[in-house]
Amino acid sequence: MSLTPATIRRLMREITELKNNPPEGIRVVTSEENMLDLTGIVEGPEQTPYAGGYFRVRFQFTHEFPTAPPKCWFATKIFHPNVSSAGEICVNTLKKDWQSSYGIGHILVTIKCLLIYPNPESALDEEAGKLLLEDYDAYCSRAKLITSVHATPRIRPPEFQTPSTEKEGESSTTSIPVSVPTPAMMPPPPHITLPVPISASSPRKFSPAPPSQPLQSSPANTLPSSLSTSTVSSKDGKERLSPFGTANSNVAGPTAATTTKAVKRSAASASSGTEKRKKALKRL
């Protein structure tokens, strides 16, 4: 087997990708001595007679790859119309429908689909093809028996212990637990005190007003002591208190001054009248 460096690099990239991100139900195993000594493992699809089985498919790359398809065969015994007793596979992808862009992953996915939809018209195993057409239940029983004997291990292959990228994607979107709060889990609402409206019929209570302070005298509303009283002379010469002498303590300053001037004028007029009477008496 002599492959070009470009073909080897291509196969190495694809093998690495299949190991890191394997499709659902498909794994690849390589030899430690030769990376191109490749074996594919196909898990039997559910709801088929091959469910529970793990089928190994061997690859052999020739110098014509990728122009021509690699040689592939079942290393695990299987009862299938399109697989011969020697393990040869009859599928158009490995024959006339081959394209150079196809790779290892495409071949393994095609073989997995062949386990789901067998084609009895191009059968390599005539017994299996005839039984599939005439008695499907008998075909399924025979296929399940061969699968349980030759393809079902006691322990799942270690290559399938790690989930595939498709399962990881499904689990990331469907298996996220979402907790829905129930009335028992919900916290109690905060205590809110609402104001109580006062109806028109209910009597209102008013707090008593603080006691008023007594008025205090100030220079603006207090008359000076000199203007508090005044004396006037009567006709008989005796001094009497003027009724205008006492000022109201609540009268402002200008009003008290006007009252004082009126008292002085009345006293002056009274004294001048007295003088005139004295002069008239002297003349007589």
Side-chain angles (χ1 to χ4, degrees):
M1 178 182 64
S2 60
L3 298 176
T4 62
T7 302
I8 294 175
R9 288 194 296 268
R10 171 184 169 175
L11 289 174
M12 295 298 295
R13 287 195 300 269
E14 187 174 4
I15 292 172
T16 303
E17 178 66 20
L18 288 173
K19 287 186 175 182
N20 294 334
N21 301 303
E24 173 64 20
I26 293 175
R27 300 292 188 273
V28 292
V29 181
T30 56
S31 174
E32 295 181 358
E33 291 80 11
N34 184 7
M35 289 291 294
L36 297 180
D37 185 8
L38 182 67
T39 301
I41 305 176
V42 179
E43 183 178 10
E46 295 294 332
Q47 299 181 356
T48 67
Y50 311 103
Y54 295 89
F55 303 90
R56 293 180 178 268
V57 179
R58 296 280 296 164
F59 284 81
Q60 183 179 358
F61 301 94
T62 64
H63 64 281
E64 296 179 350
F65 182 82
T67 306
K71 293 182 179 180
C72 299
W73 67 94
F74 269 87
T76 305
K77 188 174 179 60
I78 184 173
F79 185 74
H80 192 282
N82 304 117
V83 181
S84 67
S85 58
E88 184 183 356
I89 304 170
C90 179
V91 62
N92 289 335
T93 300
L94 295 174
K95 294 181 179 180
K96 62 180 181 179
D97 292 342
W98 174 258
Q99 297 182 14
S100 58
S101 60
Y102 292 162
I104 302 169
H106 182 81
I107 295 172
L108 293 174
V109 171
T110 302
I111 293 174
K112 181 179 178 181
C113 292
L114 192 65
L115 298 181
I116 301 174
Y117 303 105
N119 184 11
E121 296 180 357
S122 60
L124 291 179
D125 189 334
E126 295 181 0
E127 182 184 3
K130 184 179 180 180
L131 198 60
L132 175 62
L133 293 174
E134 296 178 355
D135 191 348
Y136 181 76
D137 292 337
Y139 162 78
C140 288
S141 299
R142 179 75 177 274
K144 287 181 179 179
L145 177 62
I146 299 299
T147 299
S148 63
V149 173
H150 298 279
T152 305
R154 294 182 178 178
I155 301 176
R156 193 180 190 190
E159 293 81 10
F160 286 86
Q161 298 300 326
T162 57
S164 63
T165 55
E166 295 180 7
K167 282 190 175 181
E168 288 177 354
E170 293 176 359
S171 62
S172 62
T173 57
T174 60
S175 63
I176 299 176
V178 178
S179 60
V180 179
T182 60
M185 297 170 56
M186 296 177 63
H191 180 70
I192 301 175
T193 304
L194 297 177
V196 180
I198 301 175
S199 59
S201 60
S202 61
R204 297 185 179 181
K205 296 181 180 181
F206 297 94
S207 59
S212 58
Q213 300 291 334
L215 294 177
Q216 297 180 359
S217 61
S218 62
N221 59 9
T222 304
L223 293 175
S225 59
S226 60
L227 299 177
S228 61
T229 58
S230 62
T231 57
V232 294
S233 300
S234 61
K235 294 180 179 181
D236 53 2
K238 294 182 181 181
E239 294 181 353
R240 295 179 181 179
L241 293 176
S242 173
F244 303 100
T246 304
N248 192 349
S249 61
N250 293 327
V251 179
T255 306
T258 305
T259 305
T260 304
K261 290 180 180 181
V263 171
K264 288 182 178 181
R265 283 197 299 269
S266 61
S269 61
S271 61
S272 61
T274 304
E275 291 295 333
K276 289 178 179 181
R277 290 190 189 93
K278 287 182 179 183
K279 288 181 180 181
L281 291 174
K282 287 182 179 182
R283 291 187 188 129
L284 294 173

